[in-house]
Amino acid sequence: MNFDAYARTAVDLVNAELSDLAGLRALFADDQSWMREHIIEKDLGVFRRAQRRLRDVFELGTVGRDAEAVNELNSLLETFPVQPRISGHDASDWHMHVTSRGASVSAEYLAGAVWGLSVWLCEYGSARFGICADERCGNVYLDTSSNNCRRFCSERCATRSHVAAHRARKRAANLTPA
C-alpha cells in the first residue's frame, strides 16, 4: 500500500473547497473518480467535519503538540476504522482497499486519509506537518524536503510571499530619509 498517497488524500481534503457537492466531487482524483458518482448530500457534512478535525491535527503538529495530534488521529481512526480487503478487476490487478465492500464514499476516503496521515506521523513525526507561511493561503502540506525546511505549500505561494516581502523592503527603503 502506498501510505504517502493516502496521507496526501488527507492534505487534499484539508485544502479542499467544500461549499457544495460540486466542490466535494472535485476532491476526487482520477483514480478515485468512481467516488464522484456515489456522493450523497450526507457525505458533504461528514467530509466537512473530518476536514476541520484533520486541520486541527496539522495545527497541533506544527506547534509541537504531538500527544494531542496523536489523540485526535486515534479518535479519527475509531470514527473511520480501517478494514483492509484485497480488490481487483482481474487476476493481474490485485490491490488493497482500506474499507469493507459496500462502505460509503466518506468511509472509504476518510479511512484511507486518516490511516495514511497516522502512518506518516509515526514514520516522520508531526514536525513534517506544515501550514503555508503565506498568510493569504493557509493550505496544509507534508514536508518531504531532505532537511525539513519547507515553509510554503507550493512554489506559487513561496514566490508570491517572497515578491511581497521584497516589495515591502523596497517601499520601506524609499520611505527612509537618506
Side-chain angles (χ1 to χ4, degrees), residues 23-92:
L24 179 55
R25 285 187 180 101
L27 173 65
F28 302 114
D30 290 336
D31 59 331
Q32 300 165 323
S33 60
W34 66 269
M35 292 181 173
R36 288 183 201 128
E37 302 165 17
H38 299 286
I39 291 289
I40 59 174
E41 190 71 36
K42 183 175 117 178
D43 287 319
L44 187 56
V46 174
F47 273 92
R48 283 177 179 158
R49 286 187 295 279
Q51 182 185 50
R52 284 190 298 273
R53 293 179 70 187
L54 287 168
R55 177 168 286 283
D56 289 345
V57 170
F58 275 88
E59 289 174 357
L60 292 166
T62 59
V63 296
R65 293 167 58 187
D66 290 5
E68 292 171 76
V70 166
N71 286 340
E72 184 61 21
L73 280 171
N74 280 331
S75 176
L76 284 162
L77 284 167
E78 289 176 22
T79 304
F80 304 104
V82 175
Q83 300 170 343
R85 68 180 171 90
I86 300 171
S87 182
H89 308 289
D90 59 50
S92 65

Side-chain angles (χ1 to χ4, degrees), residues 131-139 151-152 156-158 160-161:
I131 299 175
C132 188
D134 183 345
E135 64 268 350
R136 294 166 289 184
C137 178
N139 280 345
R151 295 182 36 237
F152 299 95
R156 180 176 181 249
C157 280
R160 183 175 59 203
S161 184

Side-chain angles (χ1 to χ4, degrees), residues 91-109:
S92 65
D93 185 33
W94 298 120
H95 57 278
M96 294 296 293
H97 280 259
V98 295
T99 58
S100 62
R101 187 177 186 99
S104 68
V105 169
S106 54
E108 177 93 17
Y109 186 97

